[in-house]
Amino acid sequence: MTKYGSFPGTRPRRLRTTPVMRRMVAETRLHPADFILPAFVREGIAEPVPITSMPGVVQHTRDSLKKAAVEAAEAGISGIMLFGVPEDSKKDAVGTPGTDPDGILQVAIRDVRAEVGDDLLVMSDLCLDEVTDHGHCGVLDAQGRVDNDATLERYAEMAQVQADAGAHVVGPSGMMDGQIGVIREALDQIGREDVAILAYTAKYSSAFYGPFREAVASSLMGDRKTYQQDPANWRESLRELALDLEEGADMVMVKPAGPYLDILARVADAVDVPVVAYQISGEYAMIEAAAEKGWVDRDRAILETLTGIKRAGARTVLTYWATEVARQLR
């Protein structure tokens, strides 16, 4: 006698029989609009410079960055997050290139806005690590510690020059206490209430940032454990989340993505603002390296990790595969 509600009457495999069936019942779908492309632009180079630890990713020239932005817009992704790499001789203790209207990041923002207008959200990394000679995300005090409140003053200036250059969204990534409120006030002071803030709300002190440090030619000595979050903790992510929202964050981020899917899910369940996840350089490099060895199917691994990130609750994903995957999906 056939039983309904249990085997053999109930057979979940019926909904997996064909590609069309699996597509129809899929609970999570990827779309080009789900993605943001992180991109690096380096001052003083004539040709794009490959990043050895991130196969397929380069430090762009101004011209090659504009081309990448056009390709990203044509692929249908939502945004491009810009990181500027100044010449080493211009870095100093307070990160002067970060507030120079002619600093490489501000120049790149203007370039990309002129090239793509509003067809692509132009987002800017708001942090000092790329522009300081010590490589930390803030200015240092006399004892060599990151001075939170002095750093906030620099962030306020950076927000204003990035907005003036044309950024649609600023992304403060330094994990300083109070940074969102200070940046919101600074933007509003110059009449830029229209510029959104993507808060790096839960940014963990991760082992997976290594390739990124090559990408931005980091000068860092030591670590960032006094301001980035401890990988052992999840409750403080929710505390950071509440503070960022209170201070005026428009969107919130979890970074890295893959090792912190539990944090991503908790954050997504707790808020009604868009949640973003950053699939970082080490996550990218591991798949590319394993694929080069023939140990994983590259394309399947990319799509599987991105689907997992979105399934966990991300509305949008920063990924170095953004343009490539968007083209495949289209």
Side-chain angles (χ1 to χ4, degrees):
M1 182 177 178
T2 300
K3 294 182 180 180
Y4 295 97
S6 61
F7 181 82
T10 299
R11 295 177 181 267
R13 286 184 57 192
R14 294 187 188 115
L15 299 183
R16 305 171 194 155
T17 52
T18 69
V20 173
M21 178 67 82
R22 294 191 293 273
R23 184 182 67 195
M24 184 184 76
V25 301
E27 299 172 32
T28 304
R29 301 180 192 277
L30 297 176
H31 186 278
D34 296 337
F35 302 123
I36 296 166
L37 176 69
F40 308 100
V41 57
R42 178 175 168 182
E43 188 173 29
I45 57 173
E47 299 290 338
V49 176
I51 300 167
T52 57
S53 55
M54 299 177 69
V57 180
V58 302
Q59 293 173 324
H60 284 287
T61 66
R62 289 174 60 185
D63 285 341
S64 70
L65 177 66
K66 289 187 286 186
K67 180 181 178 183
V70 170
E71 291 172 349
E74 290 175 345
I77 73 171
S78 290
I80 186 168
M81 175 66 80
L82 301 180
F83 297 86
V85 184
E87 295 178 351
D88 285 344
S89 62
K90 295 183 179 179
K91 297 180 181 181
D92 59 22
V94 296
T96 297
T99 49
D100 181 354
D102 294 321
I104 184 59
L105 179 55
Q106 288 70 252
V107 169
I109 294 168
R110 291 195 293 269
D111 284 345
V112 174
R113 278 301 303 270
E115 197 74 17
V116 299
D118 292 331
D119 292 340
L120 191 67
L121 288 175
V122 178
M123 304 178 171
S124 53
D125 179 58
L126 200 165
C127 196
L128 288 169
D129 58 323
E130 296 104 283
V131 291
T132 52
D133 53 13
H134 49 72
H136 276 287
C137 297
V139 297
L140 305 182
D141 64 16
Q143 286 74 45
R145 302 169 301 188
V146 174
D147 186 326
N148 191 94
D149 295 4
T151 298
L152 295 182
E153 295 179 16
R154 298 291 294 136
Y155 285 3
E157 295 179 59
M158 293 178 74
Q160 291 177 342
V161 298
Q162 290 177 7
D164 285 341
H168 294 101
V169 180
V170 295
S173 60
M175 291 297 290
M176 296 296 119
D177 294 341
Q179 63 183 14
I180 302 303
V182 166
I183 290 167
R184 183 72 271 159
E185 183 178 359
L187 291 169
D188 292 353
Q189 283 177 350
I190 61 170
R192 295 310 306 272
E193 295 88 354
D194 58 320
V195 175
I197 300 176
L198 168 57
Y200 283 58
T201 292
K203 182 179 180 182
Y204 282 86
S205 180
S206 172
F208 295 101
Y209 294 132
F212 179 90
R213 291 177 184 170
E214 178 191 351
V216 297
S218 174
S219 307
L220 180 67
M221 299 293 289
D223 59 50
R224 300 189 171 110
K225 292 182 179 180
T226 65
Y227 44 102
Q228 294 177 353
Q229 286 184 229
D230 185 339
N233 297 343
W234 66 265
R235 288 181 178 86
E236 68 175 341
S237 292
L238 299 186
R239 187 183 187 197
E240 294 274 8
L241 175 64
L243 291 167
D244 282 353
L245 293 175
E246 182 181 348
E247 293 174 25
D250 299 289
M251 299 173 279
V252 296
M253 182 194 290
V254 174
K255 179 182 181 182
Y260 297 91
L261 294 181
D262 60 324
I263 308 300
L264 176 57
R266 291 177 192 271
V267 169
D269 285 344
V271 302
D272 56 5
V273 299
V275 176
V276 180
Y278 196 149
Q279 186 181 52
I280 67 169
S281 60
E283 297 177 76
Y284 175 95
M286 285 193 300
I287 290 177
E288 290 288 351
E292 184 180 355
K293 292 284 190 181
W295 293 341
V296 299
D297 181 313
R298 177 183 180 274
D299 291 349
R300 286 184 62 195
I302 292 169
L303 291 176
E304 185 174 340
T305 56
L306 291 171
T307 300
I309 293 165
K310 191 173 181 189
R311 187 185 64 243
R315 179 85 59 86
T316 309
V317 184
L318 279 89
T319 176
Y320 298 96
W321 290 301
T323 301
E324 175 186 342
V325 171
R327 285 171 171 164
Q328 292 175 5
L329 294 173
R330 289 166 69 92

